[in-house]
Amino acid sequence: MSIHTLEVLVENEPGVLARVSGLFARRAYNIDTLVVGPTTNPEVSKMVIQVNLEGHSLEQVIAQLDKLISVISIEELVNGEKKPVKDTQPDYQN
Amino acid sequence: MATQHVPTANGTAMNGATSLVKSLEAANVDVMFGLPGGAILPAYDPIFDSTIRHILVRHEQGAGHAATGYAQVTGRAGVCIATSGPGATNLVTPLMDAGMDSVPLVAITGQVPSAAIGTDAFQEADIRGITMPFTKHNFLVTKAEDIPGAIAQAFHIATTGRPGPVLVDIAKDALQAQTTFNWPSKIELAGYNPRITPDNQSIADAAALIAQSKKPVFYVGGGVIKANASKELAQLVELLGAPVVTTLMARGAFPDSHPLHLGMPGMHGSVAAVTSLQKADLLITLGARFDDRVTGKLSSFAVNAKVIHADIDPAEINKNKFADVPVIGDLRETISALIPALKAALAKNHPDLTPWNASILKLKSSYPVGYTLPDDGSLSPQAVIERIGQISGTDTIFTSGVGQHQMWASQFISYEHPRTWLNSGGAGTMGYGLPAAMGAKVGAPDSTVWAIDGDGCFQMTNQELVTCALNNIPIKVAIINNESLGMVRQWQTLFYEGRYSNTSLESKRVPNFPMLAEAMGCVGLSCERPEDLDATIEKAMSINDQPVVVDFRVHRDAMVWPMVAAGTSNDEIMIARATAPDWDSQEL
């Protein structure tokens, strides 16, 4: 396993933290750390989530997170650089 | 972003409750199922004047399943409405059920006044929190001006992309407050943008893979019905000429009468359907999700097959089974795009499927799904269900509860059309069948609607017969009465040495089902002898102005076969107790 850091932009609305943390809980994914903060847009909050997952499990976490209506975008932070996740669509040229 | 028609009431002053009803009218709701209570009471005043038909149920669970039945028959969103606290929690099971089976449902609940939220007020329950895990989305509305926007978004979310249930919880003071009606002209959800059109490359890859395959199978799921893609599917099947299996949720998506149709795969699937998936070199998966009841032990499922997985939900791709070629998009668009692409690919290379088809069709003829009649001459449950199907015909809509009767209704009724088979596939909700039949009959009033129910299931939700009797909803209910929780009893027979712990319902003694039906304003019939079977069904068919309940008193020990025991490989399919197919005589 390896630590991956996801930067998730969400609608700034009541219950959004429960939506995200509940998703991790019910699909049995562990959160290593979770930080929530504001953005320059008052309607949008930023969650930085560290997970100890890789491969299939990481892909599923991202895909399931992306299904939440309140989740606007998901990017992975690699060495401080933002990297778009694979748009939840796996590479079909395997 | 979706644009929508703006009603003339926009800009009119009214209270929140009236704006809720105006919003439902703007969303083209024609019927809703519900039951009032304190917190939702303000909404029931404008409902009194609305053009929307409100059907007063006897239990909120009935409202939820009825809305689901309505949605599955019509393809439109079903609507149910309840009050706060226990009213709302009674909707929990139908919401979970609709989530598992991707049914577009909008549930509206009253909530205690916003100032009282969080105080453990009378009839307060955090229904938004409770339903978060299995709704597609949900809302808590505490301001009157937010009601139209939430309702518009709820219908948009429920009916687009992968359909699903959406709950809108509205605080009582928001219903009572004055506001100006403001139905939105467009819906913008930054985090919701379902992919409808598949990308060209994935279609091309899928076509190329199909054109290389010598042992392909169409693995068809309920998504084909949701996408109204049956016609396109039929064209695709004709083009390739490969065998088809339809899952429990997809029965009717492809006609059972078609020679290439192998029936249902899975735990109680046909030998040919199960084996075709196991031996295939390619699964053309259309709107199916590799559920454990289909795959059996996943590590031994279709081990030699490449997988094309077409689905509107990207999260289904690679969830249970790796997809060599994923195709994300609406299935009707996907199949429509695949047909010309496949034509072009087959023009270059058209593998001979004759040996594969011959071996699979030999399995189909060697091991048809069948049953043996009870030795003692008593009524066979399978025969009852088969005859209802034959006598009532293929335009009939069938619903079922969950258990043995559900599997038999899937196996022994021939489905020719989509949206004629409604059941609780993912959730396995006992008691689904009767209220779903009520909703189906409301959605398709000119169709005959039969609920094939069990004596256990019937006792969970039969109170809605009163609703049917009083609201001119003449459904027909066949209770397959084996005086047991039959599927559980079957497992006790097979896996617990016949120790029948708490599965005997004694429902041939109590209750008296025909009298119970009569007490609820229905016609009650009973049938115990095989020689009376056809006449009883015909009698039930002749009554169309009242609900009819028939107590079919069947043999207790009938079992559902074939069977792949839970957690075992599909290769270990049994056609009867301790009896495997004669594999040595098959060439695969």
Side-chain angles (χ1 to χ4, degrees), chain B residues 33-36 55-67 80-82 86-94 435 438 460-467:
Chain B
F33 301 87
L35 197 148
I55 293 170
L56 174 62
V57 297
R58 292 298 176 271
H59 188 290
E60 292 87 350
Q61 187 189 358
H65 293 315
C80 53
I81 180 165
T89 58
N90 281 343
L91 290 177
V92 166
T93 298
M438 173 168 77
M460 290 189 172
T461 49
N462 64 69
Q463 78 284 341
E464 298 313 329
L465 284 172
V466 175
T467 311

PDB file of all heavy atoms in Angstrom, chain B residues 33-36 55-67 80-82 86-94 435 438 460-467:
ATOM      1  N   PHE B  33     -48.050   8.703  -4.150  1.00  0.00           N
ATOM      2  CA  PHE B  33     -48.539   7.788  -3.130  1.00  0.00           C
ATOM      3  C   PHE B  33     -48.061   8.315  -1.783  1.00  0.00           C
ATOM      4  O   PHE B  33     -46.868   8.589  -1.611  1.00  0.00           O
ATOM      5  CB  PHE B  33     -47.981   6.387  -3.365  1.00  0.00           C
ATOM      6  CG  PHE B  33     -48.336   5.812  -4.716  1.00  0.00           C
ATOM      7  CD1 PHE B  33     -47.535   6.071  -5.823  1.00  0.00           C
ATOM      8  CD2 PHE B  33     -49.474   5.038  -4.893  1.00  0.00           C
ATOM      9  CE1 PHE B  33     -47.851   5.553  -7.071  1.00  0.00           C
ATOM     10  CE2 PHE B  33     -49.803   4.515  -6.140  1.00  0.00           C
ATOM     11  CZ  PHE B  33     -48.988   4.768  -7.232  1.00  0.00           C
ATOM     12  N   GLY B  34     -48.973   8.478  -0.832  1.00  0.00           N
ATOM     13  CA  GLY B  34     -48.511   9.037   0.427  1.00  0.00           C
ATOM     14  C   GLY B  34     -49.481   8.874   1.565  1.00  0.00           C
ATOM     15  O   GLY B  34     -50.558   8.276   1.434  1.00  0.00           O
ATOM     16  N   LEU B  35     -49.064   9.430   2.691  1.00  0.00           N
ATOM     17  CA  LEU B  35     -49.851   9.375   3.925  1.00  0.00           C
ATOM     18  C   LEU B  35     -49.457  10.581   4.774  1.00  0.00           C
ATOM     19  O   LEU B  35     -48.270  10.767   5.065  1.00  0.00           O
ATOM     20  CB  LEU B  35     -49.563   8.051   4.652  1.00  0.00           C
ATOM     21  CG  LEU B  35     -50.536   7.604   5.737  1.00  0.00           C
ATOM     22  CD1 LEU B  35     -50.610   6.074   5.785  1.00  0.00           C
ATOM     23  CD2 LEU B  35     -50.122   8.127   7.106  1.00  0.00           C
ATOM     24  N   PRO B  36     -50.435  11.430   5.145  1.00  0.00           N
ATOM     25  CA  PRO B  36     -50.080  12.667   5.841  1.00  0.00           C
ATOM     26  C   PRO B  36     -49.786  12.478   7.326  1.00  0.00           C
ATOM     27  O   PRO B  36     -50.075  11.437   7.910  1.00  0.00           O
ATOM     28  CB  PRO B  36     -51.326  13.535   5.647  1.00  0.00           C
ATOM     29  CG  PRO B  36     -52.450  12.565   5.530  1.00  0.00           C
ATOM     30  CD  PRO B  36     -51.875  11.332   4.875  1.00  0.00           C
ATOM     31  N   ILE B  55     -52.774   9.137  -3.926  1.00  0.00           N
ATOM     32  CA  ILE B  55     -53.347   7.865  -3.474  1.00  0.00           C
ATOM     33  C   ILE B  55     -52.935   7.641  -2.026  1.00  0.00           C
ATOM     34  O   ILE B  55     -51.737   7.540  -1.708  1.00  0.00           O
ATOM     35  CB  ILE B  55     -52.904   6.719  -4.403  1.00  0.00           C
ATOM     36  CG1 ILE B  55     -53.537   6.942  -5.789  1.00  0.00           C
ATOM     37  CG2 ILE B  55     -53.317   5.365  -3.830  1.00  0.00           C
ATOM     38  CD1 ILE B  55     -53.018   6.041  -6.872  1.00  0.00           C
ATOM     39  N   LEU B  56     -53.929   7.612  -1.173  1.00  0.00           N
ATOM     40  CA  LEU B  56     -53.704   7.486   0.272  1.00  0.00           C
ATOM     41  C   LEU B  56     -53.452   6.028   0.625  1.00  0.00           C
ATOM     42  O   LEU B  56     -54.350   5.195   0.550  1.00  0.00           O
ATOM     43  CB  LEU B  56     -54.925   8.021   1.032  1.00  0.00           C
ATOM     44  CG  LEU B  56     -54.913   7.829   2.551  1.00  0.00           C
ATOM     45  CD1 LEU B  56     -53.748   8.573   3.187  1.00  0.00           C
ATOM     46  CD2 LEU B  56     -56.235   8.294   3.152  1.00  0.00           C
ATOM     47  N   VAL B  57     -52.230   5.723   0.996  1.00  0.00           N
ATOM     48  CA  VAL B  57     -51.850   4.345   1.322  1.00  0.00           C
ATOM     49  C   VAL B  57     -52.171   4.051   2.783  1.00  0.00           C
ATOM     50  O   VAL B  57     -52.610   4.931   3.537  1.00  0.00           O
ATOM     51  CB  VAL B  57     -50.347   4.113   1.044  1.00  0.00           C
ATOM     52  CG1 VAL B  57     -50.039   4.285  -0.433  1.00  0.00           C
ATOM     53  CG2 VAL B  57     -49.489   5.046   1.900  1.00  0.00           C
ATOM     54  N   ARG B  58     -51.933   2.802   3.180  1.00  0.00           N
ATOM     55  CA  ARG B  58     -52.158   2.412   4.574  1.00  0.00           C
ATOM     56  C   ARG B  58     -50.853   2.326   5.356  1.00  0.00           C
ATOM     57  O   ARG B  58     -50.866   2.174   6.567  1.00  0.00           O
ATOM     58  CB  ARG B  58     -52.910   1.083   4.626  1.00  0.00           C
ATOM     59  CG  ARG B  58     -54.355   1.177   4.123  1.00  0.00           C
ATOM     60  CD  ARG B  58     -55.166   2.137   4.987  1.00  0.00           C
ATOM     61  NE  ARG B  58     -56.536   2.314   4.481  1.00  0.00           N
ATOM     62  CZ  ARG B  58     -56.891   3.234   3.595  1.00  0.00           C
ATOM     63  NH1 ARG B  58     -55.983   4.059   3.082  1.00  0.00           N
ATOM     64  NH2 ARG B  58     -58.148   3.346   3.225  1.00  0.00           N
ATOM     65  N   HIS B  59     -49.745   2.369   4.682  1.00  0.00           N
ATOM     66  CA  HIS B  59     -48.429   2.315   5.343  1.00  0.00           C
ATOM     67  C   HIS B  59     -47.444   2.956   4.372  1.00  0.00           C
ATOM     68  O   HIS B  59     -47.516   2.699   3.168  1.00  0.00           O
ATOM     69  CB  HIS B  59     -48.043   0.858   5.628  1.00  0.00           C
ATOM     70  CG  HIS B  59     -46.804   0.694   6.468  1.00  0.00           C
ATOM     71  ND1 HIS B  59     -45.545   0.994   6.009  1.00  0.00           N
ATOM     72  CD2 HIS B  59     -46.642   0.246   7.738  1.00  0.00           C
ATOM     73  CE1 HIS B  59     -44.665   0.731   6.969  1.00  0.00           C
ATOM     74  NE2 HIS B  59     -45.295   0.276   8.025  1.00  0.00           N
ATOM     75  N   GLU B  60     -46.534   3.760   4.892  1.00  0.00           N
ATOM     76  CA  GLU B  60     -45.626   4.481   3.993  1.00  0.00           C
ATOM     77  C   GLU B  60     -44.760   3.546   3.159  1.00  0.00           C
ATOM     78  O   GLU B  60     -44.371   3.888   2.044  1.00  0.00           O
ATOM     79  CB  GLU B  60     -44.738   5.455   4.791  1.00  0.00           C
ATOM     80  CG  GLU B  60     -45.483   6.623   5.421  1.00  0.00           C
ATOM     81  CD  GLU B  60     -46.040   6.301   6.803  1.00  0.00           C
ATOM     82  OE1 GLU B  60     -46.020   5.107   7.206  1.00  0.00           O
ATOM     83  OE2 GLU B  60     -46.500   7.234   7.491  1.00  0.00           O
ATOM     84  N   GLN B  61     -44.442   2.358   3.695  1.00  0.00           N
ATOM     85  CA  GLN B  61     -43.649   1.425   2.883  1.00  0.00           C
ATOM     86  C   GLN B  61     -44.400   1.084   1.601  1.00  0.00           C
ATOM     87  O   GLN B  61     -43.801   0.959   0.531  1.00  0.00           O
ATOM     88  CB  GLN B  61     -43.331   0.142   3.665  1.00  0.00           C
ATOM     89  CG  GLN B  61     -42.373  -0.766   2.894  1.00  0.00           C
ATOM     90  CD  GLN B  61     -42.189  -2.143   3.515  1.00  0.00           C
ATOM     91  OE1 GLN B  61     -42.754  -2.438   4.573  1.00  0.00           O
ATOM     92  NE2 GLN B  61     -41.404  -2.987   2.877  1.00  0.00           N
ATOM     93  N   GLY B  62     -45.725   0.952   1.728  1.00  0.00           N
ATOM     94  CA  GLY B  62     -46.542   0.694   0.540  1.00  0.00           C
ATOM     95  C   GLY B  62     -46.436   1.829  -0.458  1.00  0.00           C
ATOM     96  O   GLY B  62     -46.387   1.606  -1.675  1.00  0.00           O
ATOM     97  N   ALA B  63     -46.380   3.066   0.035  1.00  0.00           N
ATOM     98  CA  ALA B  63     -46.236   4.224  -0.859  1.00  0.00           C
ATOM     99  C   ALA B  63     -44.917   4.149  -1.627  1.00  0.00           C
ATOM    100  O   ALA B  63     -44.866   4.397  -2.836  1.00  0.00           O
ATOM    101  CB  ALA B  63     -46.310   5.523  -0.056  1.00  0.00           C
ATOM    102  N   GLY B  64     -43.865   3.806  -0.930  1.00  0.00           N
ATOM    103  CA  GLY B  64     -42.545   3.752  -1.562  1.00  0.00           C
ATOM    104  C   GLY B  64     -42.456   2.675  -2.638  1.00  0.00           C
ATOM    105  O   GLY B  64     -41.981   2.919  -3.749  1.00  0.00           O
ATOM    106  N   HIS B  65     -42.922   1.460  -2.317  1.00  0.00           N
ATOM    107  CA  HIS B  65     -42.868   0.383  -3.320  1.00  0.00           C
ATOM    108  C   HIS B  65     -43.839   0.643  -4.462  1.00  0.00           C
ATOM    109  O   HIS B  65     -43.576   0.264  -5.604  1.00  0.00           O
ATOM    110  CB  HIS B  65     -43.154  -0.972  -2.678  1.00  0.00           C
ATOM    111  CG  HIS B  65     -42.095  -1.429  -1.714  1.00  0.00           C
ATOM    112  ND1 HIS B  65     -40.755  -1.342  -1.992  1.00  0.00           N
ATOM    113  CD2 HIS B  65     -42.185  -1.972  -0.479  1.00  0.00           C
ATOM    114  CE1 HIS B  65     -40.061  -1.818  -0.961  1.00  0.00           C
ATOM    115  NE2 HIS B  65     -40.906  -2.200  -0.028  1.00  0.00           N
ATOM    116  N   ALA B  66     -44.997   1.263  -4.153  1.00  0.00           N
ATOM    117  CA  ALA B  66     -45.950   1.589  -5.220  1.00  0.00           C
ATOM    118  C   ALA B  66     -45.318   2.589  -6.187  1.00  0.00           C
ATOM    119  O   ALA B  66     -45.426   2.446  -7.413  1.00  0.00           O
ATOM    120  CB  ALA B  66     -47.240   2.146  -4.636  1.00  0.00           C
ATOM    121  N   ALA B  67     -44.645   3.595  -5.639  1.00  0.00           N
ATOM    122  CA  ALA B  67     -43.961   4.569  -6.500  1.00  0.00           C
ATOM    123  C   ALA B  67     -42.894   3.874  -7.339  1.00  0.00           C
ATOM    124  O   ALA B  67     -42.689   4.207  -8.514  1.00  0.00           O
ATOM    125  CB  ALA B  67     -43.343   5.679  -5.645  1.00  0.00           C
ATOM    126  N   CYS B  80     -43.388   9.503  -3.831  1.00  0.00           N
ATOM    127  CA  CYS B  80     -44.053   9.144  -2.586  1.00  0.00           C
ATOM    128  C   CYS B  80     -43.832  10.272  -1.581  1.00  0.00           C
ATOM    129  O   CYS B  80     -42.878  11.048  -1.692  1.00  0.00           O
ATOM    130  CB  CYS B  80     -43.551   7.813  -2.045  1.00  0.00           C
ATOM    131  SG  CYS B  80     -41.774   7.680  -1.865  1.00  0.00           S
ATOM    132  N   ILE B  81     -44.754  10.373  -0.630  1.00  0.00           N
ATOM    133  CA  ILE B  81     -44.732  11.499   0.296  1.00  0.00           C
ATOM    134  C   ILE B  81     -45.157  11.018   1.677  1.00  0.00           C
ATOM    135  O   ILE B  81     -46.078  10.213   1.803  1.00  0.00           O
ATOM    136  CB  ILE B  81     -45.605  12.664  -0.251  1.00  0.00           C
ATOM    137  CG1 ILE B  81     -45.623  13.857   0.683  1.00  0.00           C
ATOM    138  CG2 ILE B  81     -47.008  12.217  -0.609  1.00  0.00           C
ATOM    139  CD1 ILE B  81     -46.157  15.134   0.031  1.00  0.00           C
ATOM    140  N   ALA B  82     -44.459  11.500   2.698  1.00  0.00           N
ATOM    141  CA  ALA B  82     -44.720  11.030   4.060  1.00  0.00           C
ATOM    142  C   ALA B  82     -44.349  12.134   5.041  1.00  0.00           C
ATOM    143  O   ALA B  82     -43.726  13.132   4.675  1.00  0.00           O
ATOM    144  CB  ALA B  82     -43.902   9.779   4.362  1.00  0.00           C
ATOM    145  N   PRO B  86     -41.349   8.623  12.107  1.00  0.00           N
ATOM    146  CA  PRO B  86     -41.703   7.259  11.673  1.00  0.00           C
ATOM    147  C   PRO B  86     -42.267   7.213  10.253  1.00  0.00           C
ATOM    148  O   PRO B  86     -42.086   6.208   9.563  1.00  0.00           O
ATOM    149  CB  PRO B  86     -42.749   6.810  12.693  1.00  0.00           C
ATOM    150  CG  PRO B  86     -43.265   8.070  13.318  1.00  0.00           C
ATOM    151  CD  PRO B  86     -42.128   9.047  13.273  1.00  0.00           C
ATOM    152  N   GLY B  87     -42.946   8.263   9.835  1.00  0.00           N
ATOM    153  CA  GLY B  87     -43.427   8.286   8.455  1.00  0.00           C
ATOM    154  C   GLY B  87     -42.267   8.204   7.497  1.00  0.00           C
ATOM    155  O   GLY B  87     -42.268   7.443   6.527  1.00  0.00           O
ATOM    156  N   ALA B  88     -41.242   8.988   7.763  1.00  0.00           N
ATOM    157  CA  ALA B  88     -40.058   9.004   6.907  1.00  0.00           C
ATOM    158  C   ALA B  88     -39.278   7.693   7.016  1.00  0.00           C
ATOM    159  O   ALA B  88     -38.839   7.140   6.002  1.00  0.00           O
ATOM    160  CB  ALA B  88     -39.170  10.194   7.278  1.00  0.00           C
ATOM    161  N   THR B  89     -39.112   7.175   8.226  1.00  0.00           N
ATOM    162  CA  THR B  89     -38.318   5.940   8.349  1.00  0.00           C
ATOM    163  C   THR B  89     -39.030   4.758   7.696  1.00  0.00           C
ATOM    164  O   THR B  89     -38.379   3.808   7.277  1.00  0.00           O
ATOM    165  CB  THR B  89     -37.969   5.594   9.816  1.00  0.00           C
ATOM    166  OG1 THR B  89     -39.177   5.472  10.568  1.00  0.00           O
ATOM    167  CG2 THR B  89     -37.069   6.645  10.430  1.00  0.00           C
ATOM    168  N   ASN B  90     -40.353   4.814   7.600  1.00  0.00           N
ATOM    169  CA  ASN B  90     -41.055   3.746   6.880  1.00  0.00           C
ATOM    170  C   ASN B  90     -40.747   3.768   5.389  1.00  0.00           C
ATOM    171  O   ASN B  90     -41.042   2.810   4.684  1.00  0.00           O
ATOM    172  CB  ASN B  90     -42.566   3.844   7.095  1.00  0.00           C
ATOM    173  CG  ASN B  90     -42.991   3.286   8.441  1.00  0.00           C
ATOM    174  OD1 ASN B  90     -42.237   2.548   9.079  1.00  0.00           O
ATOM    175  ND2 ASN B  90     -44.184   3.630   8.881  1.00  0.00           N
ATOM    176  N   LEU B  91     -40.167   4.847   4.894  1.00  0.00           N
ATOM    177  CA  LEU B  91     -39.749   4.910   3.485  1.00  0.00           C
ATOM    178  C   LEU B  91     -38.326   4.384   3.276  1.00  0.00           C
ATOM    179  O   LEU B  91     -37.863   4.277   2.139  1.00  0.00           O
ATOM    180  CB  LEU B  91     -39.817   6.355   2.965  1.00  0.00           C
ATOM    181  CG  LEU B  91     -41.199   6.966   2.770  1.00  0.00           C
ATOM    182  CD1 LEU B  91     -41.054   8.423   2.315  1.00  0.00           C
ATOM    183  CD2 LEU B  91     -42.006   6.184   1.742  1.00  0.00           C
ATOM    184  N   VAL B  92     -37.647   4.077   4.365  1.00  0.00           N
ATOM    185  CA  VAL B  92     -36.234   3.707   4.251  1.00  0.00           C
ATOM    186  C   VAL B  92     -36.061   2.460   3.387  1.00  0.00           C
ATOM    187  O   VAL B  92     -35.222   2.425   2.477  1.00  0.00           O
ATOM    188  CB  VAL B  92     -35.612   3.518   5.652  1.00  0.00           C
ATOM    189  CG1 VAL B  92     -34.273   2.801   5.559  1.00  0.00           C
ATOM    190  CG2 VAL B  92     -35.433   4.868   6.332  1.00  0.00           C
ATOM    191  N   THR B  93     -36.848   1.420   3.639  1.00  0.00           N
ATOM    192  CA  THR B  93     -36.701   0.184   2.863  1.00  0.00           C
ATOM    193  C   THR B  93     -36.980   0.413   1.377  1.00  0.00           C
ATOM    194  O   THR B  93     -36.174  -0.006   0.536  1.00  0.00           O
ATOM    195  CB  THR B  93     -37.590  -0.926   3.445  1.00  0.00           C
ATOM    196  OG1 THR B  93     -37.155  -1.181   4.781  1.00  0.00           O
ATOM    197  CG2 THR B  93     -37.483  -2.209   2.641  1.00  0.00           C
ATOM    198  N   PRO B  94     -38.086   1.075   1.003  1.00  0.00           N
ATOM    199  CA  PRO B  94     -38.277   1.332  -0.434  1.00  0.00           C
ATOM    200  C   PRO B  94     -37.163   2.167  -1.055  1.00  0.00           C
ATOM    201  O   PRO B  94     -36.798   1.946  -2.218  1.00  0.00           O
ATOM    202  CB  PRO B  94     -39.604   2.090  -0.499  1.00  0.00           C
ATOM    203  CG  PRO B  94     -40.311   1.738   0.746  1.00  0.00           C
ATOM    204  CD  PRO B  94     -39.269   1.476   1.780  1.00  0.00           C
ATOM    205  N   PRO B 435     -47.496  -4.028  -3.099  1.00  0.00           N
ATOM    206  CA  PRO B 435     -47.544  -2.584  -3.351  1.00  0.00           C
ATOM    207  C   PRO B 435     -46.946  -2.197  -4.701  1.00  0.00           C
ATOM    208  O   PRO B 435     -47.413  -1.234  -5.330  1.00  0.00           O
ATOM    209  CB  PRO B 435     -46.756  -1.969  -2.191  1.00  0.00           C
ATOM    210  CG  PRO B 435     -46.000  -3.079  -1.567  1.00  0.00           C
ATOM    211  CD  PRO B 435     -46.760  -4.329  -1.852  1.00  0.00           C
ATOM    212  N   MET B 438     -49.611  -2.545  -7.144  1.00  0.00           N
ATOM    213  CA  MET B 438     -50.532  -1.403  -7.039  1.00  0.00           C
ATOM    214  C   MET B 438     -50.007  -0.226  -7.866  1.00  0.00           C
ATOM    215  O   MET B 438     -50.748   0.369  -8.665  1.00  0.00           O
ATOM    216  CB  MET B 438     -50.680  -1.003  -5.563  1.00  0.00           C
ATOM    217  CG  MET B 438     -51.464   0.264  -5.319  1.00  0.00           C
ATOM    218  SD  MET B 438     -51.883   0.488  -3.571  1.00  0.00           S
ATOM    219  CE  MET B 438     -50.328   1.059  -2.879  1.00  0.00           C
ATOM    220  N   MET B 460     -46.463  -9.294   4.873  1.00  0.00           N
ATOM    221  CA  MET B 460     -45.698  -8.091   5.226  1.00  0.00           C
ATOM    222  C   MET B 460     -46.348  -6.801   4.737  1.00  0.00           C
ATOM    223  O   MET B 460     -46.175  -5.759   5.354  1.00  0.00           O
ATOM    224  CB  MET B 460     -44.282  -8.188   4.656  1.00  0.00           C
ATOM    225  CG  MET B 460     -43.438  -9.227   5.359  1.00  0.00           C
ATOM    226  SD  MET B 460     -41.733  -9.110   4.821  1.00  0.00           S
ATOM    227  CE  MET B 460     -40.964 -10.262   5.972  1.00  0.00           C
ATOM    228  N   THR B 461     -47.065  -6.847   3.621  1.00  0.00           N
ATOM    229  CA  THR B 461     -47.549  -5.588   3.020  1.00  0.00           C
ATOM    230  C   THR B 461     -48.984  -5.666   2.495  1.00  0.00           C
ATOM    231  O   THR B 461     -49.408  -4.807   1.721  1.00  0.00           O
ATOM    232  CB  THR B 461     -46.634  -5.183   1.833  1.00  0.00           C
ATOM    233  OG1 THR B 461     -46.462  -6.303   0.986  1.00  0.00           O
ATOM    234  CG2 THR B 461     -45.293  -4.679   2.303  1.00  0.00           C
ATOM    235  N   ASN B 462     -49.764  -6.680   2.934  1.00  0.00           N
ATOM    236  CA  ASN B 462     -51.093  -6.854   2.331  1.00  0.00           C
ATOM    237  C   ASN B 462     -52.074  -5.753   2.694  1.00  0.00           C
ATOM    238  O   ASN B 462     -53.146  -5.656   2.102  1.00  0.00           O
ATOM    239  CB  ASN B 462     -51.675  -8.225   2.695  1.00  0.00           C
ATOM    240  CG  ASN B 462     -51.919  -8.353   4.187  1.00  0.00           C
ATOM    241  OD1 ASN B 462     -52.793  -7.699   4.734  1.00  0.00           O
ATOM    242  ND2 ASN B 462     -51.146  -9.194   4.850  1.00  0.00           N
ATOM    243  N   GLN B 463     -51.722  -4.895   3.662  1.00  0.00           N
ATOM    244  CA  GLN B 463     -52.645  -3.802   4.014  1.00  0.00           C
ATOM    245  C   GLN B 463     -52.963  -2.914   2.817  1.00  0.00           C
ATOM    246  O   GLN B 463     -54.003  -2.254   2.806  1.00  0.00           O
ATOM    247  CB  GLN B 463     -52.083  -2.970   5.176  1.00  0.00           C
ATOM    248  CG  GLN B 463     -50.987  -1.973   4.815  1.00  0.00           C
ATOM    249  CD  GLN B 463     -49.634  -2.614   4.566  1.00  0.00           C
ATOM    250  OE1 GLN B 463     -49.385  -3.751   4.974  1.00  0.00           O
ATOM    251  NE2 GLN B 463     -48.747  -1.898   3.906  1.00  0.00           N
ATOM    252  N   GLU B 464     -52.097  -2.911   1.806  1.00  0.00           N
ATOM    253  CA  GLU B 464     -52.364  -2.053   0.650  1.00  0.00           C
ATOM    254  C   GLU B 464     -53.503  -2.574  -0.228  1.00  0.00           C
ATOM    255  O   GLU B 464     -53.938  -1.886  -1.161  1.00  0.00           O
ATOM    256  CB  GLU B 464     -51.099  -1.824  -0.178  1.00  0.00           C
ATOM    257  CG  GLU B 464     -49.977  -1.115   0.555  1.00  0.00           C
ATOM    258  CD  GLU B 464     -50.392   0.126   1.345  1.00  0.00           C
ATOM    259  OE1 GLU B 464     -51.348   0.817   0.945  1.00  0.00           O
ATOM    260  OE2 GLU B 464     -49.761   0.376   2.388  1.00  0.00           O
ATOM    261  N   LEU B 465     -53.994  -3.783   0.056  1.00  0.00           N
ATOM    262  CA  LEU B 465     -55.195  -4.237  -0.654  1.00  0.00           C
ATOM    263  C   LEU B 465     -56.365  -3.306  -0.370  1.00  0.00           C
ATOM    264  O   LEU B 465     -57.233  -3.099  -1.225  1.00  0.00           O
ATOM    265  CB  LEU B 465     -55.547  -5.672  -0.254  1.00  0.00           C
ATOM    266  CG  LEU B 465     -54.672  -6.758  -0.877  1.00  0.00           C
ATOM    267  CD1 LEU B 465     -54.995  -8.110  -0.263  1.00  0.00           C
ATOM    268  CD2 LEU B 465     -54.852  -6.803  -2.393  1.00  0.00           C
ATOM    269  N   VAL B 466     -56.406  -2.756   0.836  1.00  0.00           N
ATOM    270  CA  VAL B 466     -57.459  -1.784   1.163  1.00  0.00           C
ATOM    271  C   VAL B 466     -57.323  -0.568   0.247  1.00  0.00           C
ATOM    272  O   VAL B 466     -58.315  -0.083  -0.319  1.00  0.00           O
ATOM    273  CB  VAL B 466     -57.350  -1.365   2.650  1.00  0.00           C
ATOM    274  CG1 VAL B 466     -58.361  -0.265   2.968  1.00  0.00           C
ATOM    275  CG2 VAL B 466     -57.554  -2.564   3.562  1.00  0.00           C
ATOM    276  N   THR B 467     -56.105  -0.094   0.088  1.00  0.00           N
ATOM    277  CA  THR B 467     -55.857   1.036  -0.810  1.00  0.00           C
ATOM    278  C   THR B 467     -56.327   0.695  -2.222  1.00  0.00           C
ATOM    279  O   THR B 467     -56.990   1.502  -2.884  1.00  0.00           O
ATOM    280  CB  THR B 467     -54.349   1.366  -0.834  1.00  0.00           C
ATOM    281  OG1 THR B 467     -53.876   1.445   0.508  1.00  0.00           O
ATOM    282  CG2 THR B 467     -54.070   2.658  -1.565  1.00  0.00           C
TER     283      THR B 467
END
